[in-house]
Amino acid sequence: MKKLFTIITIFVLGGTLYGQTYNTFEPSKTQFMLRGYGHTGFEYMDSGDETESTFLGSAFAPIFLYKHSDRLMFEAELEFALEGDELETGLEYADVMYVLNKNMTVRAGKFLLPFGTFMERLHPAWINRLPNAPLGYGHDGIAPSSGIGVELRGAFDLGGPKLNYSVYSTNGPRIKDGSEEPEEAGILEFENYEDTNLAKAFGGRIGLLPFSDSSTEIGFSAYSTSGTGEQDSDFEDIGAFLYALDFSLVKQIPGLGGIVDAKAQYNSSNVDTATFIEMHEDGDEEEYSFDNQSNSFYGQVSYRPTMSGSNFVKNLEFVARYSDFNAPEGAEWEEKSKQYAFGLNYWLSWRSVVKLSYQTTETEGGHDGDGITNTDGLFLHWAIGF
Amino acid sequence: MKTVYKLSIALGLMAVFGLTVVACSSTKGNYTDVPNDEVAETEFKLEKSGAQLWGETCNRCHIAPSPSDYNDTDWETISLHMRIRANLTEHESKKIEEFLKSAN
């Protein structure tokens, strides 16, 4: 009995000691992370003839990160949003990345395009200081946001100043020929992930941070393709060239008692002139063409009084933004718009913000007609990153 | 669109990129011989801390994250992701990662 008791004791304690010795719960070499962001809110819009107010269904954007090694990683972002009575889903990006050396990384798959900085770095709801994007971005915008292809990117330390670069090739955009939506003939559609011709788009961005405190960045982006139409169609050889200039300044200024954040980006789109067909109500067809050049601009300044003695005031942020968008004269979607936006934010944490914003937009032309439309909007949004 | 115009823009971009790569191919990081202690001391003083880089770099897009929000393993993944996503230098991302892991 005594021997049996001794054996059982050794077995039990030995197992425990063995477990304590070898189950160190060290992290695995590979790691999977779930990050992302979500937002919800309330909006009131008044366009003169029409007013509307609505609570917004939550939008949810999970980001999946898989770190295979110190060099190899996969990232993907899904988007879920309630639009009307339906759940809209989307794949924002999904790409694999490999660090080739300290100055170069290769990415392949669907990735956010470094055309300027807004869509690649600043558009997530918990980063964007205002509830929506400036004019010229998003649906019918002229700035490409993502593409499927391959990219080389990296950065250099110039002994104080820094330089970053990106060069890529993607399937490229598709020009809307007007056969399905005559009022949008000539618009470049970037959400075109199956290539319809042999032409690829080539682009890149160079960013320079001239000061050692990295407070300022200026960037130049270009995006070009020799063909935007379907193969063997009249639009096959319609090329496009787009470029963007961007600027960023983020600096704590003791004299102002806080951090000033200024951002700006100018986008220009130049598409080869093409001939489209306009269908009249009586059934007659008429050919027309126009100089297909568009541009947009936004400038934004925000200020956080981070040096205030009050914790409440420290978390406040004041924002102002101007943006405009000019679509080509003679197009069915001819438009000149200006928007002024003002906001007051309260940061609950570094990644959760409540945004109160007033925006007024003047639109001349556009899809809604030839006249001038003034739209005022009041937005209350709550965004969180995780 | 004029093909020549597009080509000139593309060539200009390639030239700027090429010159930059050539110009940066020899950095002071390659020179390991430090001539004397005085120079070494100056170099040491110029070296930014991870905390300083964390404040300067992360704030360029979003408010700098709280180190305590993630554990060491998470910060390794996030650092690699942000290095690529925000086009940070290897030095910046490593120094920031070291700071975040030491302060969480």
Side-chain angles (χ1 to χ4, degrees):
Chain A
M1 185 64 190
K2 192 176 177 180
K3 283 183 181 176
L4 181 63
F5 181 75
T6 305
I7 290 169
I8 291 173
T9 304
I10 290 171
F11 181 77
V12 172
L13 291 180
T16 307
L17 283 170
Y18 180 85
Q20 285 180 341
T21 303
Y22 293 99
N23 288 337
T24 52
F25 300 105
E26 287 185 356
S28 58
K29 188 179 173 186
T30 61
Q31 201 211 0
F32 178 80
M33 273 191 86
L34 178 63
R35 300 195 67 196
Y37 59 93
H39 61 101
T40 185
F42 173 81
E43 293 183 357
Y44 173 81
M45 305 286 284
D46 182 354
S47 57
D49 300 336
E50 193 177 341
T51 59
E52 58 178 303
S53 71
T54 181
F55 287 102
L56 298 171
S58 292
F60 169 51
I63 296 173
F64 303 90
L65 300 178
Y66 171 68
K67 178 173 168 282
H68 183 78
S69 70
D70 290 341
R71 289 173 176 268
L72 182 60
M73 177 171 233
F74 176 81
E75 64 166 359
E77 178 181 328
L78 295 174
E79 280 188 325
F80 298 92
L82 295 170
E83 294 283 343
D85 295 327
E86 294 184 353
L87 175 66
E88 298 278 331
T89 60
L91 180 64
E92 183 89 341
Y93 54 81
D95 57 86
V96 61
M97 311 178 277
Y98 186 79
V99 179
L100 295 169
N101 58 49
K102 71 174 188 174
N103 301 120
M104 189 176 284
T105 298
V106 60
R107 288 204 295 185
K110 185 185 180 193
F111 51 86
L112 295 175
L113 293 178
F115 186 78
T117 55
F118 184 82
M119 289 309 296
E120 187 191 30
R121 302 182 190 174
L122 307 173
H123 85 276
W126 71 278
I127 296 176
N128 187 4
R129 301 307 204 252
L130 287 161
N132 49 17
L135 297 176
Y137 297 86
H139 184 65
D140 294 349
I142 60 170
S145 61
S146 61
I148 293 179
V150 64
E151 178 198 44
L152 288 174
R153 59 167 40 210
F156 294 91
D157 191 337
L158 308 180
K162 297 174 190 73
L163 182 139
N164 57 66
Y165 71 90
S166 165
V167 288
Y168 57 82
S169 177
T170 64
N171 281 339
R174 180 178 70 85
I175 193 168
K176 292 187 177 181
D177 60 11
S179 57
E180 293 179 5
E181 296 170 297
E183 71 280 6
E184 296 191 347
I187 289 180
L188 288 184
E189 187 179 29
F190 296 100
E191 306 292 307
N192 171 45
Y193 300 121
E194 185 178 350
D195 210 353
T196 53
N197 56 33
L198 295 176
K200 300 289 178 259
F202 297 92
R205 178 181 179 272
I206 293 175
L208 177 66
L209 292 86
F211 306 120
S212 61
D213 63 359
S214 300
S215 61
T216 308
E217 181 173 5
I218 49 176
F220 174 71
S221 310
Y223 179 99
S224 179
T225 180
S226 61
T228 57
E230 285 190 24
Q231 198 165 7
D232 300 327
S233 74
D234 293 340
F235 302 94
E236 182 181 5
D237 295 326
I238 301 297
F241 178 77
L242 295 82
Y243 71 89
L245 300 167
D246 61 83
F247 171 80
S248 170
L249 168 71
V250 181
K251 194 169 180 64
Q252 178 160 292
I253 301 177
L256 295 174
I259 293 176
V260 173
D261 184 334
K263 298 274 192 299
Q265 183 170 328
Y266 173 78
N267 305 315
S268 174
S269 170
N270 184 0
V271 183
D272 291 346
T273 302
T275 301
F276 303 98
I277 295 173
E278 181 181 7
M279 289 288 290
H280 295 288
E281 291 180 357
D282 58 8
D284 288 347
E285 293 182 353
E286 183 183 354
E287 290 188 345
Y288 73 103
S289 61
F290 54 90
D291 188 11
N292 197 346
Q293 295 191 46
S294 311
N295 62 69
S296 71
F297 169 80
Y298 90 90
Q300 175 180 295
V301 178
S302 66
Y303 166 69
R304 283 190 296 128
T306 51
M307 298 168 76
S308 167
S310 162
N311 279 335
F312 176 79
V313 176
K314 264 185 192 174
N315 295 329
L316 291 175
E317 182 174 44
F318 305 90
V319 198
R321 183 180 74 196
Y322 167 81
S323 62
D324 61 36
F325 172 54
N326 297 300
E329 288 184 28
E332 292 286 312
W333 41 287
E334 175 181 347
E335 176 182 338
K336 291 184 188 302
S337 299
K338 288 180 185 173
Q339 183 185 78
Y340 296 90
F342 306 95
L344 176 63
N345 301 336
Y346 186 80
W347 288 91
L348 298 164
S349 74
W350 64 272
R351 52 185 170 174
S352 180
V353 58
V354 178
K355 300 183 262 193
L356 177 65
S357 168
Y358 167 75
Q359 300 182 6
T360 180
T361 310
E362 181 186 279
T363 305
E364 181 181 352
H367 295 302
D368 298 332
D370 298 327
I372 294 177
T373 308
N374 288 294
T375 306
D376 295 330
L378 187 67
F379 304 81
L380 182 63
H381 279 209
W382 186 1
I384 183 168
F386 54 85
Chain B
M1 185 184 302
K2 299 283 189 297
T3 307
V4 176
Y5 173 67
K6 288 195 293 185
L7 278 174
S8 63
I9 293 288
L11 287 172
L13 268 177
M14 289 169 65
V16 170
F17 176 68
L19 287 171
T20 306
V21 170
V22 171
C24 298
S25 61
S26 176
T27 66
K28 65 178 182 181
N30 294 333
Y31 299 97
T32 53
D33 293 330
V34 179
N36 55 49
D37 290 341
E38 190 179 341
V39 173
E41 191 177 346
T42 309
E43 290 281 327
F44 178 75
K45 282 178 182 171
L46 288 173
E47 181 78 11
K48 287 188 177 181
S49 68
Q52 194 174 356
L53 289 170
W54 163 76
E56 290 177 355
T57 308
C58 305
N59 274 320
R60 278 159 46 190
C61 295
H62 55 76
I63 294 177
S66 168
S68 60
D69 278 8
Y70 297 102
N71 62 32
D72 288 4
T73 313
D74 288 342
W75 280 127
E76 287 172 11
T77 302
I78 294 168
S79 295
L80 179 60
H81 184 231
M82 291 313 301
R83 173 184 168 185
I84 300 167
R85 182 72 180 272
N87 246 354
L88 308 181
T89 64
E90 181 187 48
H91 177 74
E92 281 175 320
S93 65
K94 284 198 169 172
K95 293 284 284 188
I96 293 169
E97 181 186 323
E98 285 169 12
F99 162 70
L100 291 165
K101 287 162 73 174
S102 69
N104 63 358

